[in-house]
Amino acid sequence: MSTTPHFDRIALIGFGLIGGSIARAAREQGLAKEIVTTARSAKTRARITELGIVDRVFETNAEAASGADLVILCIPVGACGAVAAEIAGHLKPGAIISDVGSVKASVVKDMAPHLTAGVHFVPAHPVAGTEHSGPDSGFAELFNGRWCILTPPPATDTAAVDRLSSFWQTLGAKVAVMSAEHHDLVLAITSHVPHLIAYTIVGTADDLSAVTRSEVLQYSAGGFRDFTRIAASDPTMWRDIFLANKAAVMEMLGRFNTDLSRLTRAIEDGDGAALFDLFTRTRAIRRGIVDIGQDSATPDFGRPHSELPPVPRPYVSESS
Ligand code: NAP
């Protein structure tokens, strides 16, 4: 098993929250002789250069990927196929090519046909993030104690999988390997449907005519505030996730709607026992998440400021 996660050149295609966090953590850990990245607009390239985290910022993805022994696409899932086609002819033989997309089966379907047998395609999804985006939003600690799920297609070179696994572990992540399809089903219920619920509830509150928008803002209780944080996530990224993971999201939404109808009936019928039973079960799940270290007992909104990730400066990309 190859254990050295050191690379001559790491190319990060995209320098937003995830690309910027990988760059910062890889730099801190000394994982590469050279880290390069790309940005589509001159304004973003200037900002990344100013941050001084990477060695070079290229205008084209092909230039960045050329000669790299690890290339990671850190861009919305809907853009991965076109970018794979663009860089395929520039990849170094033996290079590992990966991504960080929140959906895996569609990314594999879109990217794999462009990649030749001479490179190792190891798709990945670090299950870590915030609602912020852009080059200032990243931070080196983002992956600490979080899972990174690798979904190598069957017959992927095991040494390449081990090397990428070791890379993510050095960034602080715990690594799991599963099929792309299973990943998409698991993430549909743990991440994608919860985001859809947050987008819905915040939209519904905004549409209410009997309650004014200023009342919603002024009296927002903890639950609603948490939903607004999730619903502030990047619109391009989340549009792509729902389009790319349609089947699994539809399956989980079917189950969710059934359970919501059951709960609606319990409220209608004044069935307090049914409500109490469910809330007891869900409370145990929350305790389980805290127990295994996947969250702290204090949610973000109540946490002392010193424990929160840095708040990025407002950033507007010219190309988005
Ligand atoms: P982000 O902060 O918005 O950054 C996206 C980056 O992609 C930007 O550098 C953007 O460049 C670039 N980009 C967008 N469209 C592109 C295109 N067509 N071609 C080339 N570059 C393009 O997003 P992020 O949060 O880092 O998300 C990136 C990926 O990570 C997504 O696939 C997402 O599913 C995944 N992910 C996100 C999270 C999370 O919580 N945010 C967690 C895990 C995984 P410009 O500046 O030029 O627009």
Side-chain angles (χ1 to χ4, degrees), residues 170-288:
T170 310
L171 298 190
K174 300 179 279 189
V175 172
V177 177
M178 62 181 72
S179 74
E181 292 69 23
H182 189 67
H183 165 279
D184 289 354
L185 209 54
V186 172
L187 270 291
I189 192 63
T190 58
S191 171
H192 306 167
V193 170
H195 272 80
L196 198 69
I197 293 166
Y199 284 124
T200 311
I201 195 87
V202 176
T204 303
D206 194 41
D207 289 342
L208 288 176
S209 53
V211 179
T212 65
R213 180 186 272 216
S214 63
E215 282 175 313
V216 168
L217 298 180
Q218 188 171 342
Y219 302 119
S220 70
F224 186 74
R225 277 206 302 270
D226 281 357
F227 278 127
T228 60
R229 184 182 59 74
I230 297 170
S233 300
D234 185 67
T236 305
M237 169 182 153
W238 282 94
R239 175 203 63 197
D240 282 8
I241 287 172
F242 290 113
L243 296 179
N245 201 21
K246 180 174 161 182
V249 168
M250 294 306 286
E251 181 177 337
M252 292 306 167
L253 270 179
R255 286 168 180 251
F256 175 79
N257 283 326
T258 305
D259 289 344
L260 186 62
S261 302
R262 201 175 293 142
L263 213 55
T264 307
R265 240 190 345 267
I267 296 170
E268 251 169 21
D269 297 347
D271 186 352
L275 297 175
F276 189 84
D277 284 353
L278 177 68
F279 301 163
T280 306
R281 201 149 51 86
T282 56
R283 179 179 240 195
I285 288 173
R286 169 69 196 169
R287 285 186 180 145

Side-chain angles (χ1 to χ4, degrees), residues 15-18 40 74-76 79 100-102 126 128-130 133-134 237 317 319:
F15 194 92
L17 171 71
I18 302 296
R40 295 177 296 177
C74 307
I75 59 178
V100 294
S102 307
T130 73
S133 48
M237 169 182 153
S317 164
S319 53

Side-chain angles (χ1 to χ4, degrees), residues 121-147:
F121 179 33
V122 188
H125 175 205
V127 187
T130 73
E131 68 278 23
H132 301 297
S133 48
D136 288 275
S137 61
F139 52 102
E141 302 76 22
L142 178 64
F143 310 112
N144 278 351
R146 301 293 178 201
W147 286 96

Side-chain angles (χ1 to χ4, degrees), residues 1-3 5 7 96 122 148 150 158-171 173-177:
M1 162 171 151
S2 163
T3 51
F7 295 89
I96 295 175
V122 188
C148 181
L150 307 186
T158 53
V161 177
D162 288 345
R163 202 150 178 240
L164 192 69
S165 173
S166 180
F167 172 79
W168 277 105
Q169 283 168 342
T170 310
L171 298 190
K174 300 179 279 189
V175 172
V177 177

